[in-house]
Amino acid sequence: DVKVTQSSRYLVKRTGEKVFLECVQDMDHENMFWYRQDPGLGLRLIYFSYDVKMKEKGDIPEGYSVSREKKERFSLILESASTNQTSMYLCASSLLPYSPLHFGNGTRLTVT
Amino acid sequence: GQQLNQSPQSMFIQEGEDVSMNCTSSSIFNTWLWYKQDPGEGPVLLIALYKAGELTSNGRLTAQFGITRKDSFLNISASIPSDVGIYFCADQIDMRFGAGTRLTVKP
C-alpha cells in the first residue's frame, strides 16, 4: 500500500512565523500535491509537482511556496503565517499524471 | 476554472437507509472520481468512472457517470455506521474537488 506521511498531525504557530509542513511518500510516485481543506469549501489545490525541482501553482498559491529537492519529499512553506491560513493541510501523491491520488492523514495548523 | 457543485452539503440518516448524492460540473468531464474521508484521516478513493453512462459498483456503493458528462451520482445502499464521513467528487484532470457531502448515520 502507498503510504503518504505528514510529519505533524497538529501544529500551533504564531502570526508571522515561517512554517514548514513536510510530506513523504514511499512508493516512488512522480507526482505530489498540497491541498487545504476548509468546511464548506472542500479541498483546494495549493501547489503540485510532477518531478523533482519542478512546481506548479494550483488554485490558491498566494502566501505559500513549496520545495521538492527529492522525489519522495514535498514541503509546503508558509513564509509568514497569517490567521487566515489556519486550516487542515493534506498532502497527496500519484503514480502518473491524472491517476487517482493517495492522501496523507493531514496536518491541522492553527495560527494565532 | 471549472467548478464542481456537490449536493447535498450534509445528510443525517438512519442506519439501513439508502443514500444518494451528486455532483455537477460547469464543463464536460472525461473522468469522475469519488473519495471518502473518514474522521481524522485523508480521503481514500472509492470509485473511478472513465466513460459517459458508465455505472460502477463497489460493494454497497454504486456510482454513475452522467450521459451529458457534466454530472455524476453516488449511491450507498443499506447504510451502516461506518459509512460516516465526508464524500467528495473530483475531477482527475484538473485535480479539483467538490465541497463534499458530510454523512451522519444514526444507529
Side-chain angles (χ1 to χ4, degrees):
Chain A
D1 268 356
V2 177
K3 194 164 176 77
V4 179
T5 304
Q6 295 184 231
S7 54
S8 304
R9 288 300 296 262
Y10 300 94
L11 273 179
V12 180
K13 297 292 182 180
R14 293 188 182 273
T15 301
E17 277 193 77
K18 189 169 186 175
V19 181
F20 293 85
L21 303 184
E22 306 289 349
C23 175
V24 177
Q25 50 94 4
D26 67 358
M27 284 300 290
D28 204 35
H29 281 183
E30 298 288 339
N31 314 300
M32 297 189 75
F33 308 82
W34 275 105
Y35 289 85
R36 64 176 282 176
Q37 180 178 11
D38 299 288
L41 296 177
L43 278 65
R44 292 180 291 166
L45 183 62
I46 305 171
Y47 267 96
F48 60 100
S49 169
Y50 284 151
D51 200 355
V52 175
K53 305 275 186 185
M54 175 269 182
K55 60 186 178 184
E56 291 284 347
K57 293 180 180 179
D59 294 324
I60 53 164
E62 296 78 20
Y64 304 95
S65 62
V66 289
S67 171
R68 194 164 182 204
E69 297 294 321
K70 293 185 178 181
K71 190 176 186 180
E72 66 271 18
R73 185 179 297 270
F74 192 35
S75 303
L76 180 69
I77 304 159
L78 286 66
E79 295 290 341
S80 177
S82 63
T83 54
N84 63 13
Q85 292 178 309
T86 291
S87 186
M88 170 69 83
Y89 290 87
L90 289 163
C91 175
S93 71
S94 69
L95 178 61
L96 299 170
Y98 314 132
S99 58
L101 303 179
H102 299 264
F103 283 89
N105 284 334
T107 296
R108 184 166 293 281
L109 173 67
T110 302
V111 182
T112 62
Chain B
Q2 55 196 358
Q3 291 192 335
L4 291 177
N5 298 304
Q6 192 169 350
S7 64
Q9 190 171 11
S10 61
M11 301 182 76
F12 296 84
I13 63 168
Q14 207 71 36
E15 183 176 359
E17 288 183 10
D18 296 343
V19 172
S20 185
M21 60 190 78
N22 71 83
C23 212
T24 59
S25 168
S26 57
S27 57
I28 289 173
F29 275 18
N30 291 316
T31 61
W32 281 99
L33 304 177
W34 285 94
Y35 288 82
K36 183 197 176 193
Q37 184 179 29
D38 287 328
E41 298 185 10
V44 173
L45 182 70
L46 293 174
I47 290 178
L49 301 162
Y50 296 104
K51 192 175 171 183
E54 180 181 354
L55 185 71
T56 297
S57 294
N58 178 3
R60 292 178 297 105
L61 276 61
T62 302
Q64 183 163 23
F65 193 144
I67 291 176
T68 65
R69 293 169 64 192
K70 289 187 175 183
D71 59 2
S72 179
F73 301 87
L74 176 69
N75 297 317
I76 305 172
S77 62
S79 59
I80 58 178
S82 62
D83 290 334
V84 163
I86 305 176
Y87 292 80
F88 293 101
C89 60
D91 162 32
Q92 182 170 304
I93 303 301
D94 289 336
M95 300 158 288
R96 291 196 174 90
F97 285 71
T101 294
R102 183 180 292 272
L103 179 64
T104 303
V105 180
K106 300 176 190 174

